[in-house]
Amino acid sequence: MKEFIFSYRESCGIALADLLALAEEKKLEAERLLLADLFLKKELYETSYASLAIPFDEQIRERVSAVAAQKKKFNPTVLVVIGIGGSSLGAKAVHQAVFGRLRTRVVTNIPLLYFAETVDADRMITILSVLEQELAAGNNILINVVTKSGTTTETIANFYVILELLKKYRPDDYAELVVVTTDKDSPLWSLAQCEIFTCLEIPKMVGGRYSVFSAVGLFPLVMTDISIEELCAGARSMVTRCLNDDVQNNPAMMSALIQYYHYQRGVSINDLFLFSVDLEAMGKWYRQLIAESIGKEFDKQGKQVLMGITPTISLGSIDLHSVAQLYLGGPRDKCTTFVTVEKNRNNIIVPHDVSGLAGRSFSDIMHALSAGTKGAYLKNNRPFCSVVLPEKSEYYIGQFLQFKMIEIMYLGFLCNVDPFDQPNVELYKREAQRILNVL
Ligand code: PA5
């Protein structure tokens, strides 16, 4: 298996020696050693770093695969995942990267995948009409409600709406068509026990935005025939690569150092520039990861710091025609990570000679556009680093997701904030529940 390539250009404002000196000054090695030690002693599960242990946990994959095998017997034509934030973004990212954004038709025996995230009535009516059409035609649908807390307002509201529809068409066996993914002992877990819904447990110490390799991400993915073995193999290979002590060959450490170095110099925007339309959802997954993990009012000692790196997502080459002018000419407040894909699933040749492009392949043109963009960033001294994914397969997507989760752990250490909590998100949830009087 190949590995993705991570690189950065020294000429974009930082020399390697600066990064190594920063690592030394901030004692980043101590954090790496802590992770490596917990990993070797198999003690990660008891800590906030538990997410690193999940791709190594065969029992999780066995349980998820067993439930999926049982549910596939019903031949569901549609799977609807009800969840929000960390409970939906990971599965969506992988599914979109592997199947593409425009997968609308049923591929033999693979259910269509829908996500019910917010309480937008117009969106929900569209989902309900698709579900009702299937049920009325005598087909089965499968509901996977995913919520770690078991209490998120949007998820609970959407769940009951969809459940009501399911009960109308399947009054006797609706319970068989529901899978609940939640923390053991959450309010939803208790409900699931009464209703005899199948339950998948989220390990206690694995937080929402770090949960893609748990049942949260794995169940919907395996239901749609995505190889969770390959996905987790990619993630495992990245744990080894990102816990290694050679900083230069450790992409998670390098990427965290680059971002922190620039952040200290007033560069507070992180742009993930993806040269692949099908990676947009992965960009959104990362946006949540960095925003919720690093955006903090208080540091680890409780001092008010108002820390944060603002994530943006750009899609190449579409957004070259909307934001490139700003990014190349505007304020020097952005650090970019370019993501390109070496080999797409398809290639197309331009047929007619209009501007010297006849006979050129889309992959050559896209390559020229991304290389040209990097060249322009270099010329204008705009900092960036690059990730080249060999392809958008499960293995490399697993690598990328794990690389980013470890990067954020190092970045949290450098920024001296807790990358695992989200107190201000909890604040909005409580306020909304107070207004709705459901506390
Ligand atoms: O990362 C997080 O913890 C959050 O984004 C949660 O995933 C999100 O708020 C949804 O919470 P829950 O899974 O409890 O419904």
Side-chain angles (χ1 to χ4, degrees), residues 79-128:
L79 164 62
V80 56
V81 172
I82 307 167
I84 196 165
S87 289
S88 67
L89 292 168
K92 209 177 190 179
V94 180
H95 188 267
Q96 192 178 94
V98 174
F99 277 117
R101 222 164 80 164
L102 277 182
R103 185 185 160 230
T104 49
R105 257 168 300 131
V106 183
V107 184
T108 39
N109 293 333
I110 303 180
L112 272 179
L113 181 58
Y114 281 85
F115 289 89
E117 294 168 297
T118 186
V119 278
D120 179 325
D122 292 343
R123 161 94 181 146
M124 181 49 90
I125 288 293
T126 315
I127 294 177
L128 288 174

Side-chain angles (χ1 to χ4, degrees), residues 62-80:
E62 276 165 20
R63 167 81 181 134
V64 163
S65 301
V67 173
Q70 193 195 337
K71 300 302 173 191
K72 277 182 183 177
K73 289 190 186 138
F74 295 103
N75 289 321
T77 48
V78 177
L79 164 62
V80 56

Side-chain angles (χ1 to χ4, degrees), residues 6 80 83 147 171 189 200 208-209 226 261 293 306 316 359 388 401 406:
F6 175 85
V80 56
T147 164
W189 184 279
L200 290 168
R209 57 191 176 275
I226 283 178
Y261 180 95
S293 304
L306 308 181
V388 181
L401 300 177
I406 305 177

Side-chain angles (χ1 to χ4, degrees), residues 84-87 147-150 152 208-209 288 292 422 425 429:
I84 196 165
S87 289
T147 164
K148 185 167 173 68
S149 60
T152 299
R209 57 191 176 275
Q288 184 213 16
E292 279 192 0
Q422 59 283 329
V425 180
K429 285 186 179 180

Side-chain angles (χ1 to χ4, degrees), residues 230-301:
E230 284 290 302
L231 187 77
C232 291
R236 286 196 297 274
S237 77
M238 226 2 85
V239 172
T240 322
R241 190 168 159 195
C242 296
L243 295 189
N244 119 59
D245 64 355
D246 175 4
V247 181
Q248 289 181 65
N249 289 310
N250 181 327
M253 273 183 149
M254 285 295 283
S255 183
L257 284 164
I258 291 167
Q259 291 188 52
Y260 184 68
Y261 180 95
H262 287 292
Y263 179 74
Q264 282 184 312
R265 286 156 183 77
V267 175
S268 62
I269 297 172
N270 171 307
D271 188 42
L272 190 60
F273 210 134
L274 303 146
F275 274 79
S276 171
V277 174
D278 293 341
L279 295 183
E280 186 176 15
M282 197 170 80
K284 290 191 175 164
W285 170 86
Y286 179 63
R287 184 174 65 169
Q288 184 213 16
L289 182 69
I290 185 168
E292 279 192 0
S293 304
I294 305 300
K296 296 289 147 88
E297 189 174 351
F298 300 102
D299 70 9
K300 282 184 187 163
Q301 286 68 43

Side-chain angles (χ1 to χ4, degrees), residues 119-166:
V119 278
D120 179 325
D122 292 343
R123 161 94 181 146
M124 181 49 90
I125 288 293
T126 315
I127 294 177
L128 288 174
S129 69
V130 172
L131 298 178
E132 185 151 25
Q133 229 172 15
E134 294 301 317
L135 289 165
N139 294 326
N140 280 325
I141 62 160
L142 187 66
I143 300 177
N144 180 205
V145 54
V146 188
T147 164
K148 185 167 173 68
S149 60
T151 57
T152 299
T153 306
E154 297 93 320
T155 303
I156 300 300
N158 282 334
F159 177 46
Y160 280 104
V161 168
I162 296 178
L163 189 61
E164 188 178 66
L165 175 76
L166 181 61

